[in-house]
Amino acid sequence: MSEQDMKERIGRVANMIAAAKQIVVFTGAGVSTESGIPDFRSPGGLWTRFDPEDFTIDKFLANPETRHKQWRFLLSGDLIKDADPNAAHRAIAELEALGRLDCIITQNIDYLHQKAGNNPDRIYELHGNMKWIRCLDCGNRSPLEEILRENRTSEEMPACGRCGGILKPDVIFFGEALPEKTLQEATRRANHCDLLIVVGSSLVVYPAAYMPLYAKQSGAKLVIVNLTPTPSDRIADVVIHASAGEVMGRILAEVKQRLSGCV
Ligand code: CNA
């Protein structure tokens, strides 16, 4: 995309944000790669190193070896390292501070929107987050930090301190249902917004990827900011294939100009 083309598209998105009443931002792993957390599907992403089959709930439950592999991966820190929000998270947080955001619907489990300053009550985490660990036997929930502090090297598999049961991160594995209330509320908001902005998602994981479709079907405008093409590009009003940090930062700067009456 030429710089002129990019500038024109960013200007159109800024106009849409300035005019919209209910804005939903929908994010995926691509919003966090600039914070150093790998996504699934990019070159060098997690699927180049791990077998997606190992992230199914059935395999996790059935196979202690898979559980061990998963815990080794979790404890090695790729998804839980102490990452900081990047320019894209910060721009989205500023949109809320400017009163321009209804909510964030995210597939991410990394807690970076909360860290960037967005109101946790306005963040719908469709796939849970990595802050909590749940015992599948007695239901006890404990913070991941506690599990990490207590003992673990990446060679050990933690067990529930209360009953010795199987511990699982409170995130949604493939084959698991999404948290019902969160999904319901996210769906309602996607259906009622007048602008939905996708930032950093391949839009191939369902039911999450229905959110932009619901918005579009209900008459909202749809913007997609993603490095690579997605299956929903053809129905979007504006598509920008570039880095989320740069694009969201530039969009925010233009929105501020419009809101202050300078443009
Ligand atoms: P995905 O399928 O890996 O797609 C990520 C998309 O982001 C790709 O299309 C990339 O081209 C794009 N992308 C990568 N870097 C950037 C960037 N800097 N700027 C703009 N676009 C970029 O991930 P999705 O979120 O679409 O798929 C859903 C999965 C990924 C969910 O189940 C998540 O839980 C899971 N996941 C989350 C994290 C996290 O929480 N940070 C990390 C890895 C995977």
Side-chain angles (χ1 to χ4, degrees):
M1 191 184 312
S2 70
E3 170 53 26
Q4 199 186 355
D5 203 5
M6 170 102 125
K7 204 164 178 255
E8 186 268 330
R9 291 181 199 205
I10 284 173
R12 274 166 61 203
V13 178
N15 288 341
M16 287 177 185
I17 291 176
K21 294 198 165 50
Q22 295 269 98
I23 301 174
V24 169
V25 170
F26 176 88
T27 60
V31 78
S32 296
T33 55
E34 290 166 69
S35 294
I37 301 177
D39 64 8
F40 276 167
R41 292 176 177 80
S42 288
L46 295 171
W47 287 166
T48 58
R49 286 186 284 145
F50 296 93
D51 180 359
E53 261 295 297
D54 282 338
F55 289 77
T56 61
I57 187 66
D58 287 349
K59 239 184 152 186
F60 184 84
L61 293 179
N63 189 341
E65 220 167 274
T66 302
R67 280 204 294 282
H68 200 176
K69 213 182 325 175
Q70 291 226 6
W71 271 108
R72 263 206 308 267
F73 160 63
L74 291 169
L75 297 174
S76 74
D78 253 351
L79 281 181
I80 54 173
K81 65 179 143 202
D82 206 12
D84 290 319
N86 63 52
H89 298 104
R90 289 195 298 271
I92 296 165
E94 268 208 66
L95 280 182
E96 182 175 319
L98 290 169
R100 306 307 305 154
L101 188 71
D102 176 50
C103 71
I104 296 174
I105 302 174
T106 188
Q107 300 165 92
N108 292 348
I109 55 176
D110 57 25
Y111 216 67
L112 289 182
H113 289 302
Q114 288 89 337
K115 266 193 178 174
N118 282 100
N119 178 350
D121 294 341
R122 288 171 179 255
I123 302 174
Y124 296 92
E125 293 174 310
L126 296 179
H127 297 162
N129 73 54
M130 281 295 296
K131 278 187 96 66
W132 293 92
I133 302 296
R134 195 162 50 86
C135 172
L136 296 181
D137 295 318
C138 72
N140 189 41
R141 279 173 100 228
S142 27
L144 174 68
E145 269 173 27
E146 200 174 282
I147 307 274
L148 294 177
R149 211 177 29 239
E150 267 171 10
N151 36 50
R152 313 300 164 196
T153 70
S154 56
E155 286 313 307
E156 285 176 81
M157 179 157 66
C160 175
R162 216 159 70 171
C163 75
I166 295 176
L167 290 182
K168 175 184 167 293
D170 225 358
V171 298
I172 305 300
F173 283 26
F174 291 117
E176 269 193 295
L178 269 55
E180 199 181 317
K181 272 199 185 143
T182 307
L183 180 62
Q184 254 174 24
E185 191 55 22
T187 302
R188 194 180 72 75
R189 286 174 187 265
N191 273 314
H192 284 89
C193 69
D194 54 2
L195 172 61
L196 186 143
I197 306 173
V198 173
V199 188
S201 175
S202 59
L203 296 180
V204 296
V205 177
Y206 289 89
Y210 284 126
M211 300 298 151
L213 306 184
Y214 293 149
K216 190 67 190 167
Q217 274 165 10
S218 309
K221 296 247 187 292
L222 176 61
V223 170
I224 298 180
V225 177
N226 199 56
L227 272 184
T228 52
T230 80
S232 296
D233 286 5
R234 62 191 170 78
I235 59 159
D237 296 276
V238 181
V239 175
I240 304 179
H241 291 151
S243 107
E246 181 196 348
V247 174
M248 293 310 292
R250 286 178 63 176
I251 289 173
L252 177 76
E254 294 225 9
V255 168
K256 282 179 166 171
Q257 282 181 0
R258 280 157 180 70
L259 295 179
S260 66
C262 295
V263 171

